[in-house]
Amino acid sequence: MKTKAFLKLMTLCLFSLLPITLCVAQDMESFTEIEGIVIDETTKTPLIFADLTVGNSNVSTVTNSDGEFVLKIPNSHLNESLIISYLGYQDKTIAIKNFKTDSKIELTPSYTELNPISITSINRSARELVIETLKKKNSYIDKNTLMTAFYRETIKKRRRNASLSEAVVKIHKEPYSSYKNDHIELVKARKNTDYSKLDTIALKLQGGPFCNLYTDIIKYPEYIFTEDDIKDYDFSYGESTQINNSLIYVVNFKPKKHIRTPLYFGKLYIDANTLALTSAVFSLNVENKELSSQMYIRKKPRKVDVYPTEASYRVNYRISNGKWHYAYSNISLTFKVNWKGKLFNSVYTLSSEMAVTDWELKDTKLANIRSQLIRPSTILTDKASGFSDPGFWGEYNIIEPEKSIESAIKKIQRQLKRT
């Protein structure tokens, strides 16, 4: 089994963090900020990870786990419209100039009426469809792309926030048809860790934004479906859905019953017209504690057992001018830490998410910004100063923090004021 894990955790005593050089954000054009919440028209429940895009531009964001969003729109685009989309719902378009502060945007479910032959008429099995989708590189952007993205990483001990990291990055994304790896340039970052909540263990995520970037299954299929282990999966069709009246095939996948090594299970959402992957939601089977622990834990104290109890992933793609590209991903990993000789264990949850907020076709020369590039082995450094500045992010778009993270930021700000 050659499937790789998306996360590498390090559990260490409180020692060194790797330094990172930060570049200063350049002056940007003025903007107008709008905010609101996206909800289901009927049930009024928040819609999580809804996509919001400014028309005739690549400016975008996603809703948080409370369905809320804040979007900074360049003033040159105020005559455009805001397009809101969500899997299983009809798109909604709102003129930005008519947008009201704290708006509740209601989306209407897109009811799919499928003839029984709709699935069988594609003349391929679910497995064949997935294999063809993984090869559909021409459905995705085929030029060098410079993406601006926001990254957030949190570590909680049970329900208490112990570490919060945020960063704006530039993703130097190679064409999907290329075998070259993408690069990430760090633009601006801040981090705060309360080591008193981590007991004698300091948890560090190795790779930071790279972990989320590697969930791009089309660019990095080796992290989930290698040529060797795709035969170890069962694939089946689920109930199809829609995005704004476009048919989306749903493919369920899971390891074959006889497989005991950790593999993934979940759902793939495939556009019926282009056969492009539009979204994927999946988890790792962590029943084998020893092997699943080896996939995630790079280093730990000798007297500690660390193993994951849940590992969940999501990746969303966005289409522009007929080509798809990586747009958003999140990772949630829960694991237990058992000290030998101690009665009680500790439960930690590490979550990370990254959203592309703007992009342009650009063949950037890496040699000119090599000092700002981070490596897949990088650990974000501790840097709390940014939390004291309410305008820290300037005109960069971020993912609106959920309530618990918002409370953690306010607590950090109060602590900084006292010092």
Side-chain angles (χ1 to χ4, degrees):
M1 192 277 293
K2 297 182 180 179
T3 302
K4 305 176 184 177
F6 295 97
L7 291 176
K8 282 295 182 185
L9 297 177
M10 300 185 73
T11 59
L12 301 171
C13 294
L14 309 185
F15 287 127
S16 62
L17 292 167
L18 302 184
I20 294 177
T21 302
L22 303 181
C23 68
V24 179
Q26 301 296 314
D27 291 335
M28 303 169 71
E29 61 183 310
S30 57
F31 64 92
T32 297
E33 185 176 281
I34 63 173
E35 58 184 280
I37 182 172
V38 181
I39 61 175
D40 181 288
E41 179 185 55
T42 304
T43 65
K44 309 303 180 184
T45 55
L47 297 180
I48 303 171
F49 312 133
D51 215 31
L52 299 102
T53 306
V54 177
N56 293 316
S57 80
N58 296 320
V59 177
S60 57
T61 191
V62 296
T63 57
N64 65 10
S65 59
D66 301 314
E68 300 170 341
F69 71 91
V70 170
L71 183 61
K72 298 168 185 175
I73 303 172
N75 287 339
S76 58
H77 290 82
L78 293 183
N79 289 326
E80 302 293 346
S81 296
L82 183 66
I83 304 166
I84 306 97
S85 59
Y86 192 80
L87 187 68
Y89 288 76
Q90 297 177 14
D91 286 4
K92 175 163 283 190
T93 301
I94 302 173
I96 294 172
K97 61 184 179 182
N98 296 332
F99 196 91
K100 297 179 180 179
T101 305
D102 296 329
S103 290
K104 285 187 177 181
I105 301 174
E106 299 182 346
L107 296 189
T108 304
S110 183
Y111 297 103
T112 309
E113 295 184 5
L114 294 177
N115 187 294
I117 67 171
S118 294
I119 294 299
T120 58
S121 64
I122 65 175
N123 296 321
R124 57 174 68 85
S125 68
R127 176 187 298 274
E128 291 170 337
L129 176 62
V130 171
I131 292 174
E132 186 170 352
T133 293
L134 294 175
K135 295 178 179 178
K136 274 280 184 181
K137 306 290 186 179
N138 59 352
S139 296
Y140 299 81
I141 294 178
D142 57 356
K143 295 181 180 180
N144 288 312
T145 310
L146 183 62
M147 295 178 166
T148 302
F150 178 75
Y151 171 79
R152 178 180 287 127
E153 169 194 321
T154 62
I155 297 176
K156 294 183 179 181
K157 182 181 179 183
R158 298 197 184 274
R159 296 183 179 180
R160 299 171 63 190
N161 281 288
S163 181
L164 171 62
S165 306
E166 296 179 324
V168 169
V169 299
K170 298 281 189 181
I171 303 172
H172 297 257
K173 198 146 186 57
E174 297 285 342
Y176 275 85
S177 57
S178 170
Y179 289 101
K180 293 181 180 179
N181 288 334
D182 303 326
H183 297 272
I184 295 180
E185 172 189 355
L186 188 60
V187 176
K188 205 171 189 181
R190 62 185 187 180
K191 179 176 180 177
N192 182 267
T193 301
D194 186 349
Y195 289 111
S196 65
K197 293 180 181 177
L198 295 175
D199 297 328
T200 54
I201 291 289
L203 305 172
K204 304 173 187 178
L205 171 61
Q206 181 175 294
F210 276 99
C211 296
N212 286 76
L213 189 59
Y214 291 156
T215 62
D216 184 352
I217 297 174
I218 301 301
K219 180 66 177 176
Y220 301 99
E222 66 270 20
Y223 281 90
I224 179 168
F225 295 126
T226 68
E227 292 184 1
D228 290 336
D229 60 25
I230 197 170
K231 65 181 182 301
D232 295 329
Y233 285 96
D234 284 328
F235 297 90
S236 62
Y237 284 111
E239 183 177 352
S240 296
T241 184
Q242 293 183 342
I243 295 181
N244 198 35
N245 298 322
S246 294
L247 179 63
I248 302 295
Y249 296 129
V250 178
V251 175
N252 304 310
F253 66 94
K254 61 182 180 180
K256 292 182 179 293
K257 290 184 178 180
H258 69 276
I259 301 298
R260 293 294 176 262
T261 52
L263 291 178
Y264 297 95
F265 62 93
K267 296 179 181 292
L268 303 174
Y269 298 85
I270 299 171
D271 181 76
N273 293 322
T274 64
L275 299 189
L277 182 68
T278 67
S279 182
V281 180
F282 53 101
S283 300
L284 183 72
N285 181 353
V286 295
E287 292 181 359
N288 190 320
K289 293 181 180 180
E290 182 179 354
L291 289 180
S292 58
S293 176
Q294 292 174 9
M295 293 177 67
Y296 291 101
I297 309 304
R298 179 61 58 86
K299 187 176 181 181
K300 66 180 182 65
R302 185 178 302 175
K303 295 183 179 181
V304 176
D305 289 327
V306 183
Y307 57 90
T309 58
E310 183 179 358
S312 302
Y313 306 84
R314 168 187 286 270
V315 59
N316 292 344
Y317 294 85
R318 187 178 296 133
I319 190 170
S320 178
N321 297 322
K323 294 291 186 179
W324 295 86
H325 66 83
Y326 166 81
Y328 173 80
S329 64
N330 68 53
I331 301 171
S332 180
L333 176 67
T334 301
F335 57 98
K336 286 188 177 181
V337 176
N338 289 327
W339 284 92
K340 295 178 181 178
K342 286 190 177 182
L343 182 61
F344 300 103
N345 57 40
S346 298
V347 177
Y348 296 89
T349 299
L350 189 148
S351 302
S352 64
E353 59 181 339
M354 187 162 67
V356 173
T357 58
D358 201 356
W359 62 272
E360 60 181 324
L361 298 177
K362 192 171 184 179
D363 190 8
T364 306
K365 301 300 181 183
L366 293 175
N368 298 332
I369 46 87
R370 195 161 295 278
S371 62
Q372 281 89 255
L373 295 180
I374 62 176
R375 298 180 179 181
S377 59
T378 295
I379 300 168
L380 291 180
T381 184
D382 281 329
K383 186 178 179 64
S385 59
F387 288 100
S388 62
D389 178 8
F392 181 75
W393 297 117
E395 299 188 16
Y396 288 112
N397 273 302
I398 68 170
I399 306 169
E400 181 71 353
E402 62 184 51
K403 293 293 187 294
S404 63
I405 295 176
E406 188 176 29
S407 298
I409 291 174
K410 290 179 179 178
K411 184 176 180 180
I412 294 169
Q413 290 171 339
R414 290 195 298 268
Q415 292 172 340
L416 292 172
K417 287 181 179 179
R418 288 197 295 267
T419 57

